[in-house]
Amino acid sequence: MKINTFRNFSRDAIHNIWRNSWMSVASVSSVVAVLLIIGLVLIFMVNVQYIASFVEDKIELKAFLELDVEYEEIIEIKEQLESNEMIGTIIYESKEEALEKFSQQIGERKDLISGLEENNPLQNSFILTIKDPSQAGEIAKSIERIKGVEEVKYGEEIVDKVLKSTRFIRSLTLIVTVILAIISIFIISNTIKLTVYGRKKEISIMKYVGATNWYVRWPFLIEGAILGLIGALLALLILGYSYYYFTGMAQHTALSIISNSLVPAGQMINQIKWYFVIGGLSIGVIGSILSMRKFLKV
Amino acid sequence: MLQLVDICKDYKNGHRALNNINFNVERGEFVFIVGASGAGKSTLIKLLLKEENATSGRIILDNREITHLKQKEIPYLRRNMGVVFQDFRLLPNKTVYENVAFAMEIIEQHPKQIRRQVPMVLAMVGLSERAEHYPHQLSGGEQQRVSLARAIVNNPQLLICDEPTGNLDPNTSKDIMEKLNDINYRGTTIIMATHAREIVDDAQKRVITLSNGEIISDQQKGGYNYED
């Protein structure tokens, strides 16, 4: 496409938006409406991920060592753990430390464990964090194979539950988003169809003079893209401001427990802005392609 | 330059619109296609413009078989043809100048070329003074001259006219016919579907007469010999 042609297309597109200003307002409004709904789902999802990542970060593995391991062996085990790429931090907890911790935990009833110092029944252990929580089970198994390690414990049930529920919410939001996107494309294509219908004659003239289908499509595509983009920016503005307002307001009320664990507004807007821009653009463009199909058959 | 061989056209409802149409058109010819409504004139025009495909037979333009073209190729074929319709088909929101320039923009001509060519063509059809007017400010005859200008601005080899004088009074029709003759003298081949008896009789050109989808006569320097 030549530069001049592109200039003509953009000129035509902007012309049309002005000329059919009510249609344009209708198109933009439906983009805004749909993106607001998708945006709410998106914000929900981002927050779920955010909270889930907290929980996931807290997953710890505890590797108990056999009772009779020597100091040199402990060093060796530590080296082996360090060479495992899946493991994040490694903290050694000797049985004395473990007993100390335990006695602090039971507090007043220290008498229960008095005398245990000489004959400590607890084990030396390593406390590990892992990089990918979904791999916890397998990492635990591989550590258990290391000589000198008796067993590995982690909160299997909690980990499984967290992972399952985040996976479920992720796929649910994906499905909801896809359905909403399809509905919105349908709405936009119908709105644009009305403007295309109004220019049916113009399109047929273009085709008789020898315009290619793409030549006819481009101005409508640009029009759809502009409308979609305006809609996306408006929706982002509304949603971003509401979210900012909500999290700010909630801070001073009983809701602060919730709002404090939510993604901060600035970060949220940063994270969703490209989804909105791309979403708005594609809704506009796909909508206009769909709406034109039957008018190109001349 | 144009050959139609055994062309038949059946519509989906089973109606046979054209039956065994055979004729050749030489470069520079001026051919009238006449016949009553429903005789098949419009169908024939549609086949030439590739708006419809023939059911059987062959159409050859400039030694190139165009009977079956891919959807993509049709625009490029149409760029070799100019078209004039009964209802002018001008863009109401563009000026006379823009309407004509539009045909050149579509095929991505250089703006410099457009600025040179459009005034020339407008002068040819006698509309230089009307360049900045909008179609609704023009008379019917003037509007048809704009659509003529648009049809020839890209120098097509073939000009197809579908009842170009159908909406015009006799004097204006004559004026349009003069313009068409001018264009024909410059070497453009013209095929014109019409049922304006006087025009055909005056012109003394080749006349192909259609009736019920068949050619019933094809005469050089003919007249309108079909009784409505």
Side-chain angles (χ1 to χ4, degrees):
Chain A
M1 193 188 346
K2 292 184 182 172
I3 274 286
N4 284 311
T5 311
F6 187 74
R7 210 168 33 219
N8 289 342
F9 286 164
S10 310
R11 181 197 63 199
D12 281 0
I14 291 164
H15 238 83
N16 284 323
I17 290 174
W18 275 122
R19 207 172 54 210
N20 309 311
S21 45
W22 280 111
M23 265 315 146
S24 309
V25 170
S27 303
V28 169
S29 314
S30 42
V31 175
V32 170
V34 163
L35 284 183
L36 279 182
I37 300 171
I38 293 181
L40 281 177
V41 175
L42 204 64
I43 283 181
F44 177 69
M45 186 182 74
V46 169
N47 272 313
V48 166
Q49 299 237 48
Y50 186 69
I51 293 166
S53 71
F54 273 150
V55 180
E56 285 174 356
D57 281 348
K58 291 208 174 96
I59 292 170
E60 280 179 353
L61 262 59
K62 204 162 186 185
F64 293 99
L65 306 183
E66 280 162 15
L67 284 171
D68 53 355
V69 284
E70 301 294 324
Y71 181 71
E72 289 78 29
E73 283 179 282
I74 292 173
I75 300 291
E76 233 168 79
I77 294 168
K78 191 176 184 220
E79 275 167 5
Q80 282 199 50
L81 291 174
E82 276 167 351
S83 68
N84 190 332
E85 281 174 5
M86 305 297 283
I87 294 171
T89 60
I90 300 169
I91 297 164
Y92 177 68
E93 192 182 71
S94 68
K95 55 184 176 186
E96 289 79 21
E97 285 167 332
L99 188 65
E100 176 70 15
K101 227 191 216 171
F102 186 49
S103 75
Q104 269 170 19
Q105 271 168 11
I106 56 175
E108 289 168 10
R109 306 295 309 272
K110 261 185 196 156
D111 53 307
L112 278 177
I113 55 164
S114 66
L116 283 182
E117 285 89 348
E118 275 86 65
N119 195 7
N120 190 344
L122 298 176
Q123 288 164 284
N124 295 322
S125 67
F126 280 105
I127 297 163
L128 313 164
T129 62
I130 49 174
K131 287 172 184 166
D132 182 0
S134 65
Q135 302 286 319
E138 277 158 47
I139 296 169
K141 267 178 209 151
S142 78
I143 295 171
E144 269 172 352
R145 279 197 290 272
I146 298 174
K147 192 170 161 279
V149 176
E150 191 177 289
E151 71 168 330
V152 179
K153 280 196 172 155
Y154 67 100
E156 285 99 334
E157 280 175 18
I158 297 170
V159 172
D160 280 358
K161 258 182 202 157
V162 170
L163 287 177
K164 261 186 199 145
S165 56
T166 51
R167 225 175 278 148
F168 173 73
I169 288 169
R170 263 172 227 172
S171 30
L172 185 75
T173 41
L174 189 71
I175 294 167
V176 171
T177 311
V178 167
I179 292 173
L180 286 175
I182 291 171
I183 293 173
S184 68
I185 286 171
F186 181 74
I187 296 173
I188 304 297
S189 83
N190 267 318
T191 322
I192 294 181
K193 199 179 271 174
L194 288 172
T195 74
V196 176
Y197 189 81
R199 296 169 63 197
K200 198 171 58 167
K201 193 176 151 197
E202 185 175 342
I203 292 173
S204 84
I205 293 169
M206 288 168 92
K207 298 265 346 210
Y208 278 124
V209 189
T212 57
N213 280 349
W214 272 107
Y215 191 95
V216 180
R217 259 185 220 127
W218 267 110
F220 289 100
L221 286 196
I222 296 174
E223 190 178 334
I226 293 175
L227 294 177
L229 202 61
I230 295 175
L233 294 178
L234 279 178
L236 192 62
L237 211 67
I238 296 171
L239 212 57
Y241 189 74
S242 317
Y243 187 76
Y244 175 77
Y245 188 71
F246 170 76
T247 50
M249 191 182 67
Q251 221 132 53
H252 307 290
T253 66
L255 285 170
S256 66
I257 306 159
I258 305 171
S259 77
N260 281 342
S261 54
L262 293 180
V263 182
Q267 190 188 332
M268 174 61 84
I269 293 167
N270 250 331
Q271 215 165 338
I272 61 174
K273 67 180 176 200
W274 291 114
Y275 290 109
F276 269 66
V277 168
I278 293 167
L281 276 180
S282 25
I283 290 172
V285 168
I286 298 172
S288 56
I289 288 182
L290 290 182
S291 64
M292 299 204 57
R293 270 189 317 194
K294 95 172 184 215
F295 296 100
L296 286 171
K297 285 182 199 140
V298 176
Chain B
M1 88 181 285
L2 177 71
Q3 285 170 272
L4 274 73
V5 185
D6 297 331
I7 287 292
C8 295
K9 173 67 186 174
D10 296 330
Y11 280 112
K12 277 191 189 114
N13 60 14
H15 173 65
R16 172 151 285 201
L18 290 174
N19 190 19
N20 255 341
I21 300 295
N22 283 286
F23 66 87
N24 289 355
V25 176
E26 297 302 324
R27 193 172 295 280
E29 253 189 305
F30 193 133
V31 185
F32 286 110
I33 313 255
V34 301
S37 313
K41 302 192 299 286
S42 303
T43 306
L44 189 58
I45 297 279
K46 280 180 182 164
L47 290 184
L48 294 177
L49 290 171
K50 296 305 293 173
E51 203 179 325
E52 298 277 354
N53 277 323
T55 310
S56 65
R58 297 163 64 206
I59 304 176
I60 295 149
L61 181 70
D62 276 332
N63 297 320
R64 183 177 167 221
E65 176 107 30
I66 60 162
T67 321
H68 298 287
L69 284 184
K70 286 186 195 131
Q71 204 62 37
K72 266 188 193 166
E73 295 173 306
I74 293 173
Y76 300 96
L77 175 80
R78 286 183 181 159
R79 291 174 189 190
N80 297 320
M81 304 176 176
V83 201
V84 177
F85 296 99
Q86 179 173 7
D87 55 356
F88 323 135
R89 302 202 188 171
L90 300 174
L91 298 172
N93 55 325
K94 285 187 193 288
T95 63
V96 168
Y97 180 95
E98 287 165 347
N99 261 290
V100 178
F102 180 67
M104 293 183 82
E105 281 170 8
I106 277 176
I107 62 170
E108 303 199 56
Q109 288 280 8
H110 198 277
K112 214 189 256 173
Q113 178 73 16
I114 296 178
R115 282 195 292 273
R116 198 166 47 215
Q117 179 83 355
V118 175
M120 223 164 77
V121 179
L122 284 181
M124 234 186 90
V125 296
L127 283 175
S128 296
E129 270 92 64
R130 298 276 197 223
E132 296 309 315
H133 286 63
Y134 286 89
H136 67 90
Q137 297 170 309
L138 304 177
S139 70
E142 285 169 325
Q143 289 189 44
Q144 192 58 301
R145 280 189 275 155
V146 178
S147 91
L148 253 182
R150 182 183 62 195
I152 59 168
V153 73
N154 288 324
N155 290 315
Q157 303 157 11
L158 179 62
L159 183 60
I160 295 172
C161 308
D162 190 5
E163 308 265 5
T165 60
N167 282 359
L168 305 175
D169 61 62
N171 279 334
T172 324
S173 299
K174 228 175 226 168
D175 176 44
I176 292 294
M177 284 314 295
E178 274 170 28
K179 297 290 180 250
L180 282 175
N181 271 323
D182 287 348
I183 293 164
N184 184 231
Y185 282 136
R186 284 169 58 241
T188 309
T189 311
I190 298 182
I191 295 177
M192 172 170 163
T194 184
H195 52 229
R197 170 185 296 272
E198 277 172 36
I199 286 175
V200 178
D201 286 343
D202 276 1
Q204 290 297 299
K205 307 274 189 194
R206 180 177 171 192
V207 179
I208 295 174
T209 310
L210 289 177
S211 174
N212 290 324
E214 291 184 30
I215 295 182
I216 55 167
S217 84
D218 182 351
Q219 297 176 300
Q220 296 295 334
K221 290 191 185 293
Y224 195 102
N225 56 4
Y226 182 77
E227 297 302 324
D228 290 299

